[in-house]
Amino acid sequence: MGWLGLLIMLGGLVLRYWAAKTFGKFYTKTLQTPEQQEIIQQALYNIIRHPGYLGTFLMEIGAGLTIANW
């Protein structure tokens, strides 16, 4: 289970990094919506509203599996 958790963590990290790069200058650590911000409709953003949050969730689930803490 440890290796599976590590892979899930890595996948979440990659997803979060990709979301930040795709969102560009509008990606912030706090929730902000400037007027000039556009809606991104490419790749995962047309399926998942917050891929960055999903990436964080996957990293947390993967961490729990990696250290075998249910």
Side-chain angles (χ1 to χ4, degrees):
M1 283 304 250
W3 289 106
L4 176 63
L6 196 59
L7 287 174
I8 291 172
M9 279 178 58
L10 183 60
L13 182 65
V14 168
L15 181 62
R16 183 140 175 95
Y17 178 78
W18 174 85
K21 284 297 182 186
T22 302
F23 213 49
K25 67 179 181 178
F26 297 112
Y27 188 85
T28 60
K29 293 184 181 191
T30 59
L31 182 59
Q32 299 174 5
T33 52
E35 291 182 18
Q36 60 271 44
Q37 180 178 341
E38 298 178 6
I39 296 175
I40 298 176
Q41 298 180 357
Q42 67 185 32
L44 286 179
Y45 276 99
N46 60 1
I47 299 170
I48 302 168
R49 180 173 288 195
H50 300 288
Y53 291 164
L54 177 62
T56 300
F57 179 70
L58 289 175
M59 287 190 297
E60 292 170 356
I61 295 297
L65 290 173
T66 300
I67 61 173
N69 185 358
W70 298 100

